[in-house]
Amino acid sequence: MEFLSELEKKITDAGKDIARKVKDISEVSRLYTVIAGEQKNITDNYIKLGKEYYTQHADESAQGELTHYCELIRVSLETIEQCRKQIAVLKGQQICDSCGAQVSLDSVFCPKCGAKMPEQPVEEPEEEIEVTTEDPEEEALANEETEEGAACECAQEEAPAEADEDIPQADESDSPLFCKLCGSELPESAVFCPKCGRKLD
């Protein structure tokens, strides 16, 4: 009986020891989670602190080593802005300096905020260079090809137009919107007319 009592006591003590260790492991895990959360809070506040400092000292009033970091941020922001403008140009658009919206190149006003867009430079057509041939035979052949091409164009112009009934009618629900003031076609999400700047109803 005494042996069984001692064995039962050892098993009980072992169970208590295991339960205590499991509890300790759980508590350690919980504490690690708390530490990780606080470290994230510190990182987030570092970022907010740096952004706030840059906002207040972006006019080159930063001091010491912070001047270097402010300059790096300024260069990166300018690079991002230039890349966005190049993307807009490649897509046949421009960036509104007021709200940052992408606007078509022929827009006079931003359809999002109504700000006046800068005038786009007009590209002058390149002068056509007249090519002359020294060989009279080559010039005669070129004239013959030109006359044949003109005859083909005339034949195409004289071809009868197809009947109106064969032309599919546009769905009224897909018809574009137009400005009531200047009659310009409007983008779907426009708030202002890109041509005259009138605020849409």
Side-chain angles (χ1 to χ4, degrees):
M1 294 293 294
E2 186 178 352
F3 173 75
L4 293 176
S5 298
E6 289 180 1
L7 181 61
E8 183 179 355
K9 185 176 181 301
K10 288 181 180 179
I11 292 173
T12 303
D13 291 342
K16 289 181 180 179
D17 188 50
I18 292 172
R20 182 180 57 80
K21 289 182 178 179
V22 169
K23 184 179 179 181
D24 290 345
I25 292 172
S26 177
E27 182 65 13
V28 168
S29 178
R30 185 188 71 81
L31 292 174
Y32 273 128
T33 302
V34 172
I35 291 173
E38 293 303 322
Q39 286 178 334
K40 184 179 183 303
N41 289 337
I42 291 173
T43 302
D44 292 343
N45 287 322
Y46 275 151
I47 294 172
K48 291 177 182 177
L49 178 64
K51 186 175 182 180
E52 185 66 25
Y53 184 90
Y54 177 79
T55 302
Q56 295 181 8
H57 301 279
D59 57 350
E60 300 181 355
S61 62
Q63 298 178 356
E65 279 293 318
L66 298 177
T67 306
H68 173 68
Y69 294 111
C70 287
E71 178 64 16
L72 291 177
I73 293 173
R74 185 187 65 78
V75 171
S76 294
L77 289 173
E78 289 180 356
T79 302
I80 291 172
E81 184 65 20
Q82 291 298 324
C83 289
R84 286 178 175 169
K85 288 183 177 179
Q86 290 179 16
I87 291 172
V89 170
L90 292 173
K91 295 170 65 176
Q93 297 175 333
Q94 57 183 324
I95 300 295
C96 174
D97 293 332
S98 179
C99 68
Q102 291 189 0
V103 184
S104 61
L105 289 175
D106 59 349
S107 295
V108 183
F109 295 90
C110 174
K112 295 291 183 182
C113 67
K116 186 173 177 58
M117 301 301 295
E119 295 183 2
Q120 297 296 322
V122 179
E123 295 184 359
E124 297 182 359
E126 297 181 359
E127 296 182 1
E128 295 184 359
I129 301 175
E130 184 179 351
V131 179
T132 57
T133 57
E134 297 179 358
D135 191 348
E137 293 183 1
E138 291 183 3
E139 187 174 353
L141 288 173
N143 290 336
E144 288 180 5
E145 291 177 356
T146 304
E147 290 175 0
E148 290 177 0
C152 292
E153 290 180 1
C154 292
Q156 291 178 357
E157 291 178 358
E158 293 174 359
E162 295 181 0
D164 294 339
E165 59 185 15
D166 295 336
I167 300 175
Q169 300 296 324
D171 188 359
E172 293 183 358
S173 60
D174 296 335
S175 59
L177 300 176
F178 295 91
C179 176
K180 295 179 181 178
L181 183 62
C182 68
S184 300
E185 185 175 346
L186 303 172
E188 291 182 3
S189 59
V191 181
F192 294 85
C193 174
K195 292 296 183 182
C196 66
R198 174 182 176 272
K199 188 171 184 180
L200 307 177
D201 299 333

